Amino acid sequence: MSRRGFLLGASSAVIAAPVGFRPDVAFARTKDAATAQGTVEAQCFSETWESRYVVQFPVATPLPDAGARREDSNVTITWDRRLFDVRPVAALASHDGFESVASSDYRPGHMRVRVGGEATDLLLQAAVRDLYPLEALGRPIPSRLDYSWVTTRPDLSARQSKTKPWGAEIYAAWATGEGASYPTDVLIRSVGPNPIPSGTDVVMRAQASTPAPKANAAPKTAGGGGRHSIKGRLRDVIFTLSEAVEADRELRIDARPGARLLAQDMPRDVAEVFIRPPKRQLASMRDTGRLTVVPLTASGVLVAAGSRIEGA
């Protein structure tokens, strides 16, 4: 099968970011001015891929010392615009509710918000930018909050650690039968700069009513014929990499079933294929956005029972 025969459906859960305000959130009060109650985090690497940085952006922060504020008091927020997209509007929480406030001075990487004496918390809307494949940015700029009425501010220092980053992309072709979807071919591409570590699982998930995949994998880095696990309506077939997959190499798993589908009247669950690294290797995994694939129609819609799947 050619590479174009694989249909990619991308999703990732390594980094999560809120995209809207949550007025129903209860915010804890604190007397510590140097506390950020809620942050989103972005990951990047040094130019040499030897260091990993985790950078925070504050999305929910208690405002200190209301008694010292005036009507023209403000908060200045700065951030690394390569890592975060921040909307030019904030929300101020008080004991009376929430108030939306537009930034009085906004540009990429900088905004200023006017706050009154009644506000207790500052809420910001931020999304982590998709950096792949250009995550080697060098040393990032830490986020910062500056209050016009006090000198203290939250500690939002970037965290640095030594690392050996690696990355994977998954492609899959799918088939349908008896109202269920299942993978027939899986391609794992190692995108480096270091190998996909041994011990990584390639998990192929489908309805329990579908037959198990055959045990064909090349090169021979997948252990045995895969471990089988059935929980409820789902079957997992897990191939564990017994050897590392070097950068720029590909691993193909022939997942065509060796038996006909079983006709069972049961609710349809979404099939998927995903990478599950050893826990010790999770922090060094690059967010390629292609760590999980699901079956899509040719128009990009999640496949429904009986739909024709491109590449099947």
Side-chain angles (χ1 to χ4, degrees), residues 75-117:
V75 182
T76 301
I77 307 103
T78 53
W79 65 91
D80 194 324
R81 63 181 185 179
R82 300 171 300 174
L83 300 179
F84 302 100
D85 286 323
V86 182
R87 293 193 60 188
V89 62
L92 296 175
S94 69
H95 296 290
D96 296 326
F98 290 79
E99 176 188 5
S100 181
V101 179
S103 171
S104 60
D105 178 18
Y106 181 88
R107 55 187 182 272
H110 172 97
M111 66 184 293
R112 183 175 293 119
V113 177
R114 185 173 177 177
V115 297

Side-chain angles (χ1 to χ4, degrees), residues 190-202:
S190 178
V191 297
N194 294 289
I196 298 176
S198 62
T200 295
D201 290 334
V202 180

Side-chain angles (χ1 to χ4, degrees), residues 24-285:
D24 56 332
V25 173
F27 293 94
R29 308 304 173 196
T30 177
K31 295 181 179 179
D32 182 5
T35 300
Q37 290 291 94
T39 62
V40 291
E41 294 183 342
Q43 171 182 276
C44 64
F45 299 93
S46 62
E47 298 95 329
T48 59
W49 296 98
E50 295 176 344
S51 291
R52 171 180 179 257
Y53 300 97
V54 177
V55 186
Q56 306 174 76
F57 181 85
V59 293
T61 309
L63 293 170
D65 199 357
R69 277 181 253 154
R70 303 194 305 257
E71 284 300 317
D72 61 347
S73 294
N74 60 73
V75 182
T76 301
I77 307 103
T78 53
W79 65 91
D80 194 324
R81 63 181 185 179
R82 300 171 300 174
L83 300 179
F84 302 100
D85 286 323
V86 182
R87 293 193 60 188
V89 62
L92 296 175
S94 69
H95 296 290
D96 296 326
F98 290 79
E99 176 188 5
S100 181
V101 179
S103 171
S104 60
D105 178 18
Y106 181 88
R107 55 187 182 272
H110 172 97
M111 66 184 293
R112 183 175 293 119
V113 177
R114 185 173 177 177
V115 297
E118 299 300 319
T120 57
D121 299 273
L122 172 68
L123 288 79
L124 301 168
Q125 297 185 77
V128 178
R129 301 192 67 182
D130 180 11
L131 301 178
Y132 180 77
L134 303 175
E135 311 102 299
L137 298 179
R139 186 175 293 276
I141 301 169
S143 304
R144 179 166 167 158
L145 289 178
D146 287 298
Y147 308 117
S148 65
W149 65 96
V150 292
T151 58
T152 56
R153 59 175 180 266
D155 181 7
L156 296 169
S157 303
R159 303 194 300 273
Q160 180 182 1
S161 59
K162 292 294 183 181
T163 189
K164 293 184 177 180
W166 60 275
E169 296 178 355
I170 306 177
Y171 300 83
W174 307 86
T176 54
E178 302 294 342
S181 303
Y182 57 91
T184 59
D185 260 299
V186 176
L187 181 72
I188 310 296
R189 181 181 304 147
S190 178
V191 297
N194 294 289
I196 298 176
S198 62
T200 295
D201 290 334
V202 180
V203 182
M204 305 165 63
R205 176 167 291 171
Q207 271 193 356
S209 58
T210 61
K214 294 191 298 184
N216 298 330
K220 294 181 179 179
T221 55
R227 307 193 308 277
H228 293 241
S229 172
I230 295 180
K231 295 181 180 179
R233 297 190 299 265
L234 293 176
R235 174 203 298 274
D236 283 354
V237 177
I238 305 167
F239 288 83
T240 300
L241 304 183
S242 57
E243 300 175 9
V245 181
E246 296 294 331
D248 300 322
R249 295 289 303 278
E250 294 179 346
L251 167 67
R252 178 177 173 179
I253 299 175
D254 181 355
R256 288 173 294 180
R260 296 179 62 186
L261 286 169
L262 303 177
Q264 295 188 14
D265 184 17
M266 57 197 308
R268 177 187 168 277
D269 290 282
V270 175
E272 60 180 332
V273 181
F274 58 92
I275 285 279
R276 185 169 60 198
K279 288 184 178 180
R280 66 182 183 279
Q281 299 288 351
L282 184 60
S284 56
M285 181 173 63

